[in-house]
Amino acid sequence: MDPEKIRVIHEWPKPQSCSAIRGFLGLAGYYGKFIQNYGPMAAPLTSLLNQNSFIWNAEATQSFVGLKSALAFAPVLQLPNFDELFVVECDASGGDIGAIL
């Protein structure tokens, strides 16, 4: 894991607007399938986007801190073990293309 990337995640500032939440959730969502319970963990931040006004609360803080910790945790950012069988899924093409390595 690159210590600089971990530092940036840990120092990510608390979102001050809906667009800042969208930016953070964009980063977190990219790795969401690798974070256990990502949906429920991100729900308090996502719900702030559905309201008429931006109101940060303790639940949003807990969600934000939890997601930052999950993003910086080694299994999310490490390379696969090439000595074991694993599946690479490529969904950017729009097809069900995968490879077993």
Side-chain angles (χ1 to χ4, degrees), residues 38-51:
Y38 171 78
M41 190 182 293
L45 296 178
T46 304
S47 70
L48 291 178
L49 301 174
N50 299 328
Q51 298 174 358

Side-chain angles (χ1 to χ4, degrees), residues 17-67:
S17 66
C18 287
S19 61
I21 290 176
R22 282 187 199 96
F24 177 74
L25 288 175
L27 167 74
Y30 183 80
Y31 295 102
K33 66 167 44 174
F34 304 108
I35 298 173
Q36 187 175 16
N37 297 319
Y38 171 78
M41 190 182 293
L45 296 178
T46 304
S47 70
L48 291 178
L49 301 174
N50 299 328
Q51 298 174 358
N52 292 332
S53 61
F54 179 88
I55 302 172
W56 192 266
N57 55 32
E59 191 177 25
T61 299
Q62 183 179 2
S63 173
F64 180 64
V65 170
L67 282 172

Side-chain angles (χ1 to χ4, degrees), residues 82-99:
F82 290 98
D83 293 329
E84 295 183 15
L85 183 68
F86 63 91
V87 175
V88 176
E89 295 182 18
C90 305
D91 60 1
S93 66
D96 291 333
I97 300 171

